[in-house]
Amino acid sequence: MGCLGFLEVVARSAFHRPTPWSLPISQYLLLTVAFIGTGYCLQADGHINIELLVDRLRGSTRKGVVLLGYALSIVYVAVALYYTLKAPGGFFGSAVPNRPPAYGV
């Protein structure tokens, strides 16, 4: 992503020829890195927990609190996704002023 940003700056500043594809590709790469990192973090149980509360619980109560936390996380992501897709211009509509024709698919 950093290399794409650097290439865009050089192309725009030195050659006065911006690359219309660098911003969308950078956005897709950022999303990909975020989702892969989140999946790995969930698999490795590396998310931040409120250990002060959870460590004091035992057995099924502890399991229930952990499941409640996961359920609330899913609700939060679902609401964020809903409002992201509902936003004017769609997912990348307002972020990319000069969209290539492929975005209309």
Side-chain angles (χ1 to χ4, degrees):
M1 256 184 330
C3 293
L4 283 174
F6 177 74
L7 177 67
E8 173 64 22
V9 168
V10 169
R12 190 177 294 261
S13 301
F15 303 113
H16 303 290
R17 302 218 36 178
T19 56
W21 48 267
S22 66
L23 180 62
I25 288 180
S26 294
Q27 290 172 332
Y28 282 128
L29 286 174
L30 180 64
L31 286 172
T32 302
V33 167
F35 281 123
I36 288 174
T38 302
Y40 174 76
C41 196
L42 272 173
Q43 192 175 28
D45 198 24
H47 279 283
I48 298 171
N49 294 323
I50 304 175
E51 295 176 357
L52 180 68
L53 172 67
V54 175
D55 284 349
R56 294 178 187 221
L57 301 174
R58 299 281 179 230
S60 63
T61 307
R62 181 179 183 155
K63 200 176 281 190
V65 169
V66 169
L67 288 176
L68 178 66
Y70 285 141
L72 291 174
S73 297
I74 289 171
V75 168
Y76 174 78
V77 169
V79 169
L81 180 63
Y82 171 77
Y83 282 106
T84 299
L85 295 175
K86 186 181 172 185
F91 192 58
F92 286 117
S94 59
V96 182
N98 298 321
R99 294 186 305 185
Y103 280 99
V105 174

